[in-house]
């Protein structure tokens, strides 16, 4: 585990960050010699990274000192004293690319032409899948909302029926009339019935009888 961590740090710092800064300096100073040197390094390092992807899967768990060997290879590629990237590029990479350059260019052009049709088919399939997924998701949400509403109504139905049974049947409330303290109570004995015939009229005196 320690060797894995150390190899990752060394490759990151000495295999990527330092060569990137050196390439920036070569571009800024407009030095053709340094520019060509670091361009060869990046070509070789890209091939090394491609090979590393497979060797990490098949060789890392059983090959002894695998990560230590990777560190030594990266140091050999980038160090100016060894010039490993320049050696590998001139003796192996460059002749191989020159020999297969026409086939590679034809394959790349064919891939560019086919990429549009492939992208169109894949995007159409993706859009159809997304539309189907949205429709199915909306229908599922509607079903869940309907089921939840139905279950909630079924739960509240007994409580509503019980509450209706507990309430009194009288719909008209009883009104209590409070008697005012200032008005005295009047009984039946205090009520005098006055005959309208014998009741004297206001402003006139009753006539005296001849007897």
């Amino acid at each position: 585990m320690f060797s894995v961590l150390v190899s990752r740090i060394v490759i990151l710092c000495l295999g990527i960050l330092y060569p990137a800064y050196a390439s920036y300096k070569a571009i800024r100073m407009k030095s053709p010699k340094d520019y060509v040197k670091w361009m060869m390094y990046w070509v070789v390092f890209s091939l090394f990274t491609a090979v590393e992807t497979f060797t990490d899967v098949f060789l890392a768990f059983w090959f002894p000192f695998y990560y230590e060997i990777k560190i030594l290879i990266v140091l050999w590629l980038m160090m100016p004293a060894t010039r490993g990237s320049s050696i590998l590029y001139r003796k192996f990479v460059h002749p191989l690319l020159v020999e297969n350059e026409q086939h590679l260019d034809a394959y790349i052009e064919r891939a560019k032409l086919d990429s549009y049709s492939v992208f169109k088919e894949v995007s159409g399939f993706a859009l159809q899948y997304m539309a189907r997924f949205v429709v199915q998701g909306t229908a599922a949400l509607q079903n869940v909302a309907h089921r939840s509403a139905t279950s909630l109504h079924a739960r509240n139905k007994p409580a509503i029926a019980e509450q209706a049974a507990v309430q009194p049947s009288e719909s008209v409330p009883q009104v209590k009339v409070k008697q005012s303290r200032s008005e005295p109570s009047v009984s039946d004995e205090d009520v005098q019935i006055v005959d309208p015939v014998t009741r004297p009229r206001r402003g006139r005196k009753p006539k005296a009888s001849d007897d």
Side-chain angles (χ1 to χ4, degrees):
M1 189 66 183
F2 179 74
S3 60
V4 176
L5 181 61
V6 172
S7 67
R8 292 297 181 186
I9 295 174
V10 171
I11 293 173
L12 176 63
C13 295
L14 300 179
I16 298 176
L17 296 180
Y18 173 72
Y21 181 74
S23 301
Y24 156 74
K25 294 289 288 185
I27 296 171
R28 185 172 179 274
M29 299 303 293
K30 297 179 180 180
S31 176
K33 182 179 179 180
D34 294 337
Y35 184 77
V36 172
K37 180 182 70 174
W38 289 113
M39 284 297 295
M40 290 188 294
Y41 170 80
W42 286 117
V43 172
V44 176
F45 185 79
S46 63
L47 296 176
F48 168 78
T49 305
V51 175
E52 180 191 19
T53 304
F54 298 97
T55 56
D56 286 345
V57 177
F58 298 104
L59 299 179
F61 62 93
W62 67 271
F63 195 82
F65 304 106
Y66 172 76
Y67 294 101
E68 289 79 0
I69 294 173
K70 284 176 59 175
I71 295 173
L72 294 177
I73 292 174
V74 172
L75 293 176
W76 180 70
L77 290 176
M78 57 82 55
M79 287 181 65
T82 57
R83 298 180 181 180
S85 59
S86 300
I87 296 171
L88 289 179
Y89 180 82
R90 289 191 176 96
K91 290 189 175 182
F92 299 100
V93 178
H94 183 73
L96 183 64
L97 292 177
V98 169
E99 183 179 357
N100 299 285
E101 185 175 1
Q102 294 181 357
H103 300 286
L104 293 174
D105 292 340
Y107 179 78
I108 292 172
E109 291 296 331
R110 193 182 306 117
K112 288 180 180 179
L113 295 175
D114 296 339
S115 61
Y116 177 74
S117 59
V118 172
F119 175 76
K120 187 177 180 181
E121 293 178 0
V122 172
S123 60
F125 177 76
L127 290 175
Q128 292 178 1
Y129 179 79
M130 290 178 62
R132 190 184 309 163
F133 178 77
V134 170
V135 171
Q136 292 178 358
T138 305
L141 289 176
Q142 290 179 356
N143 292 332
V144 170
H146 179 70
R147 290 178 183 177
S148 61
T150 305
S151 62
L152 182 62
H153 180 71
R155 291 178 183 177
N156 294 335
K157 189 174 181 180
I160 295 173
E162 184 179 358
Q163 186 177 3
V166 171
Q167 290 180 353
S169 60
E170 296 180 359
S171 59
V172 180
Q174 296 180 359
V175 180
K176 294 182 179 181
V177 179
K178 294 184 179 180
Q179 188 176 3
S180 176
R181 295 181 180 180
S182 60
E183 297 180 359
S185 60
V186 179
S187 60
D188 296 338
E189 297 178 356
D190 297 335
V191 177
Q192 297 180 0
I193 300 174
V194 180
D195 189 1
V197 178
T198 61
R199 183 178 179 180
R201 297 180 179 179
R202 294 181 180 180
R204 294 182 182 181
K205 294 182 180 181
K207 294 182 180 182
S209 176
D210 295 334
D211 297 338

